[in-house]
């Protein structure tokens, strides 16, 4: 079977990893960012066209302020460090989620990075920030009703944050938890889900490649018989 076009990832287990190493949860997040870089490389090497990373959910505001602030700091540093690479390597950055409540400096930085990479087409990295799937579905329906547009699958999809992005063929969740945590609920109705034991900072390119290979050997019938 051909390569998947879209892979989505729930990068779970940073906090536990940090504590396991007798360090802080935030240390786990810092190490998690390094893995993000590697997995983007692996996605490019595997001809993936869309990689969606769940970096901050609508529920993550419930974490201690210190951790929320640190995640914002990491994201800012990440954009500062990677923007040139995105530009040079033809990588498009796209944010999904409602970042209205994010600090202004971060919003501006994210906007600028999206603008500068908007015509790139090697791969599109969607970072899900203040993302919640139920909220996303509700805002899609709300728009359709307001504009008196017919409610059908196509129109609902076209008003999600992921408009124009094909549904993911693969969803990976690291961290030995078996749930979707309000991530891409509409989009993953026929997605093959891979729950991985390893915590995110231990996940590597080889793990990613093995999943792609496993997927390629799977038969997908979308409810029919094959
Ligand atoms: C889940 O681990 C991870 C997060 C909520 C944040 C993910 C963020 C990063 C990997 C770094 C920033 C991302 C980018 C794209 C620069 P957890 O804290 O819920 O882990 P736990 O289950 O062990 O508590």
């Amino acid at each position: 079977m051909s390569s998947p076009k879209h892979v989505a990832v729930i990068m779970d287990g940073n906090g536990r990893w940090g504590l396991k190493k007798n360090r802080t949860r935030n240390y786990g997040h810092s190490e998690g960012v390094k893995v993000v870089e590697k997995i983007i490389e692996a996605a490019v090497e595997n001809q993936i066209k869309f990689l969606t990373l769940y970096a901050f959910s609508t529920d993550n505001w419930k974490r201690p302020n210190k951790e929320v602030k640190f995640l914002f700091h990491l994201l800012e540093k990440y954009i500062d460090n990677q923007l040139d690479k995105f530009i040079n390597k033809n990588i498009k950055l796209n944010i999904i989620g409602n970042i209205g409540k994010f600090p202004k400096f971060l919003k501006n930085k994210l906007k600028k990075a999206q603008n500068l990479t908007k015509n790139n087409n090697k791969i599109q990295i969607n970072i899900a920030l203040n993302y919640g799937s139920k909220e996303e579905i509700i805002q899609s329906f709300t728009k359709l009703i307001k504009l008196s547009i017919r409610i059908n699958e196509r129109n609902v999809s076209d008003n999600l944050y992921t408009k124009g992005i094909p549904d993911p063929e693969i969803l990976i969740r690291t961290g030995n938890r078996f749930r979707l945590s309000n991530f891409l609920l509409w989009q993953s109705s026929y997605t093959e889900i891979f729950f991985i034991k390893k915590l995110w900072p231990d996940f590597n390119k080889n793990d990613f490649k093995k999943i792609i290979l496993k997927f390629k050997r799977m038969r997908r019938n979308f409810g029919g018989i094959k």
Side-chain angles (χ1 to χ4, degrees):
M1 197 191 263
S2 55
S3 280
K5 282 200 172 65
H6 183 183
V7 177
V9 191
I10 302 177
M11 310 177 287
D12 194 23
N14 289 342
R16 277 171 283 155
W17 188 91
L19 299 178
K20 222 173 85 182
K21 301 277 168 196
N22 289 321
R23 304 279 292 266
T24 59
R25 291 179 50 81
N26 284 348
Y27 175 64
H29 291 311
S30 300
E31 290 300 301
V33 177
K34 296 182 189 165
V35 178
V36 170
E37 282 182 53
K38 293 284 166 208
I39 296 311
I40 292 177
E41 282 173 23
V44 171
E45 287 159 17
N46 283 274
Q47 289 85 44
I48 308 293
K49 298 309 281 180
F50 300 90
L51 179 71
T52 302
L53 304 169
Y54 202 7
F56 195 87
S57 81
T58 46
D59 290 319
N60 287 151
W61 296 102
K62 294 175 196 154
R63 296 187 176 206
N65 192 250
K66 201 172 148 199
E67 185 169 335
V68 171
K69 271 197 164 157
F70 188 75
L71 284 170
F72 290 164
H73 161 74
L74 276 184
L75 189 63
E76 184 196 9
K77 239 178 45 182
Y78 177 75
I79 301 293
D80 286 342
N81 293 336
Q82 300 296 313
L83 186 55
D84 280 348
K85 187 163 116 190
F86 286 170
I87 294 169
N88 295 330
K89 296 209 162 169
N90 199 13
I91 297 173
K92 175 173 173 176
L93 184 76
N94 178 52
I95 304 300
I96 60 167
N98 178 5
I99 60 166
K101 273 204 290 176
F102 272 32
K104 202 158 182 207
F105 75 92
L106 194 51
K107 277 194 285 194
N108 290 340
K109 190 151 286 193
L110 293 167
K111 208 190 252 170
K112 186 179 150 206
Q114 288 182 97
N115 258 326
L116 288 171
T117 61
K118 67 172 189 267
N119 296 320
N120 292 354
N121 59 13
K122 180 100 188 149
I123 187 171
Q124 174 170 325
I125 309 299
N126 304 305
I127 305 187
L129 292 172
N130 197 25
Y131 175 88
S133 191
K134 287 188 179 176
E135 184 190 270
E136 179 189 33
I137 294 167
I138 290 171
Q139 68 81 39
S140 173
F141 275 85
T142 308
K143 251 195 239 167
L144 295 178
I145 292 164
K146 204 170 158 193
L147 299 170
S148 301
I149 297 174
R150 197 187 150 122
I151 291 178
N152 58 27
E153 268 192 42
R154 168 88 184 269
N155 292 338
V156 173
S157 293
D158 281 352
N159 284 282
L160 298 173
Y161 300 131
T162 49
K163 174 182 166 49
I165 301 171
D167 287 346
E169 293 94 335
I170 296 179
L171 190 152
I172 301 169
R173 180 179 188 136
T174 59
N176 207 23
R177 298 283 183 267
F178 310 94
R179 52 179 177 254
L180 291 178
S181 300
N182 204 13
F183 187 49
L184 303 179
L185 301 180
W186 176 279
Q187 297 88 335
S188 58
S189 49
Y190 277 103
T191 299
E192 307 293 342
I193 304 180
F194 293 80
F195 292 107
I196 306 296
K197 247 190 180 167
K198 279 188 179 179
L199 304 174
W200 178 251
D202 288 328
F203 190 70
N204 60 41
K205 274 174 122 171
N206 202 32
D207 297 323
F208 185 87
K209 285 181 184 172
K210 275 200 255 174
I211 291 170
I212 304 295
L213 208 62
K214 213 166 165 185
F215 170 83
K216 285 184 181 172
R217 296 197 183 116
M218 280 170 145
R219 284 198 309 175
R220 306 180 78 215
N221 61 21
F222 299 93
I225 302 171
K226 249 187 201 166

